[in-house]
Amino acid sequence: SDSESDSEDSSVSDSELQEAFSRGDLKPGLNVVLEERPKRRNDTNGLKQCLSEFKQQLPWVERLDVTLGQAVDPISQSASSKDGVDPENDFQREMSFYRQAQAAVLEALPRLRKLQVPTRRPDDYFAEMAKSDQQMQKIRQKLKSKQEAMERSEKAKQLRAMRKYGKKVQTEILQKRQKEKKNMLNAVKKYQKGLSDKLDFLDEEQTSSQGNKKGSGSQQIKKGPNAKRRYKNQKFGFGGKKKRSKWNTKESFNDVSSFRPSVAHNKGPGKAGKRGKKALNKRPGKRARQKMKNRAR
């Protein structure tokens, strides 16, 4: 039965333990003392023997192995030593790998050309792309959208900077005007109270206004009128008094040097030929006669 087999196993195990204890194999206590591990040693001869057993004597074209140091640095004209490379410095470590690979390439390429092994891809080489055209189109659109977003953000940044600069200039101008206004008001108050008898603030204000007018006038002179304005100026004049500009003065009224009685009142030569005899004997109107009477007085 199962109970009998379990009792036999337990009895066997107990007897084995008793025999081991009697031989001294089992030490009393909970801690088990382990024997000292054998020391490691570098068995160079054994390693070489193992290498010779599985090493295959193949030509270099089949192996293509190159073991060299680092290439010469063109800047320092010297190969950096292994001791000079700090393993914790990422740049020095990667540069040492790069120089070593460069030295291997410089050594292997001439040997391959000597053995007439092609090292360059032919011009008519065709290889199918790993990704489909649809996937590349998606990638292209994604890159384009990223570039447009960067351009928009750059433009927005420039606009914000320009707006900020404009606000800064505007605030500076307002502060300057407020300061000038405050100084002028203080000077006016001092003058009103009799604390000061100087009117320099009025001179400063006048000079500033004149400077603004001169600046605007110079701009207008530089610009000049257009052709239409010049023609009208030449035809009608440059402005001036228009109302009552043709009224007589006392001197012009008394000056009768330009009066010609031979041609006055339609009596001149040529008038009769145009209008006939009736025009010569035509009586002036009532208003004209009244004016003549007033002049005679």
Side-chain angles (χ1 to χ4, degrees):
S1 64
D2 295 337
S3 60
E4 292 178 355
S5 61
D6 292 338
S7 60
E8 288 178 357
D9 293 336
S10 61
S11 61
V12 171
S13 60
D14 293 338
S15 61
E16 289 178 354
L17 289 173
Q18 290 175 1
E19 290 177 359
F21 182 77
S22 60
R23 290 195 304 269
D25 296 334
L26 297 178
K27 304 293 183 181
L30 297 175
N31 296 328
V32 179
V33 180
L34 299 176
E35 296 181 358
E36 187 178 358
R37 293 181 179 180
K39 294 182 180 180
R40 296 179 179 178
R41 59 192 182 90
N42 187 11
D43 189 3
T44 307
N45 296 327
L47 292 173
K48 287 182 178 180
Q49 184 179 358
C50 292
L51 180 62
S52 62
E53 289 177 359
F54 64 81
K55 185 177 180 181
Q56 296 180 357
Q57 299 295 332
L58 296 175
W60 182 80
V61 181
E62 299 293 338
R63 294 181 285 110
L64 295 177
D65 57 339
V66 179
T67 305
L68 291 172
Q70 299 182 20
V72 178
D73 191 358
I75 299 175
S76 60
Q77 297 295 329
S78 62
S80 58
S81 60
K82 295 180 180 179
D83 298 336
V85 178
D86 185 9
E88 299 298 331
N89 192 341
D90 296 339
F91 180 74
Q92 290 184 4
R93 188 175 63 251
E94 295 299 329
M95 281 303 296
S96 64
F97 295 157
Y98 171 74
R99 294 295 178 195
Q100 190 172 5
Q102 191 177 18
V105 169
L106 293 173
E107 177 69 20
L109 276 178
R111 296 174 66 178
L112 289 172
R113 288 172 184 169
K114 189 176 181 181
L115 296 172
Q116 297 181 357
V117 176
T119 57
R120 290 196 176 189
R121 185 174 62 186
D123 297 334
D124 57 349
Y125 180 79
F126 176 78
E128 187 178 357
M129 295 180 62
K131 294 184 179 180
S132 61
D133 294 339
Q134 296 179 355
Q135 182 69 16
M136 294 303 296
Q137 189 69 20
K138 290 181 180 178
I139 294 171
R140 194 177 293 107
Q141 291 177 359
K142 189 74 175 290
L143 293 174
K144 187 177 180 181
S145 62
K146 283 185 178 180
Q147 186 177 3
E148 290 177 354
M150 289 176 66
E151 290 178 356
R152 286 196 299 270
S153 64
E154 190 68 24
K155 287 182 180 179
K157 191 184 295 182
Q158 291 179 359
L159 288 174
R160 284 195 297 270
M162 291 173 65
R163 197 179 294 115
K164 189 175 181 181
Y165 179 74
K167 287 182 179 179
K168 183 179 177 182
V169 172
Q170 188 176 6
T171 52
E172 288 178 356
I173 293 172
L174 291 175
Q175 289 176 0
K176 185 178 178 181
R177 288 178 181 174
Q178 289 176 0
K179 187 177 179 181
E180 292 176 355
K181 186 177 180 181
K182 187 177 180 181
N183 294 334
M184 188 181 72
L185 290 175
N186 292 334
V188 170
K189 287 180 181 178
K190 288 181 180 180
Y191 181 77
Q192 288 176 352
K193 292 179 181 180
L195 300 175
S196 175
D197 56 349
K198 296 181 180 179
L199 297 175
D200 298 337
F201 58 92
L202 296 178
D203 297 337
E204 293 177 358
E205 185 179 3
Q206 188 175 3
T207 53
S208 63
S209 62
Q210 287 177 358
N212 295 332
K213 288 181 180 178
K214 285 180 181 178
S216 61
S218 63
Q219 289 178 1
Q220 291 177 1
I221 289 169
K222 285 182 180 178
K223 187 176 180 181
N226 54 13
K228 187 176 180 180
R229 182 73 266 167
R230 288 197 299 270
Y231 173 74
K232 287 188 175 182
N233 290 340
Q234 185 180 1
K235 184 177 180 182
F236 301 107
F238 294 89
K241 186 177 179 180
K242 304 214 174 23
K243 189 176 182 181
R244 301 176 181 176
S245 60
K246 295 184 179 181
W247 278 27
N248 284 331
T249 60
K250 187 176 180 180
E251 290 79 8
S252 65
F253 177 76
N254 294 328
D255 184 14
V256 292
S257 60
S258 61
F259 179 72
R260 299 288 183 270
S262 60
V263 295
H265 306 298
N266 297 325
K267 294 180 181 179
K271 299 291 184 180
K274 289 183 179 179
R275 297 186 181 181
K277 296 180 180 180
K278 291 183 179 180
L280 295 174
N281 299 326
K282 185 179 179 181
R283 184 188 181 198
K286 183 177 180 180
R287 185 170 294 182
R289 296 198 305 273
Q290 190 68 28
K291 286 183 179 180
M292 291 170 64
K293 288 180 182 180
N294 293 334
R295 289 178 182 176
R297 290 177 187 176

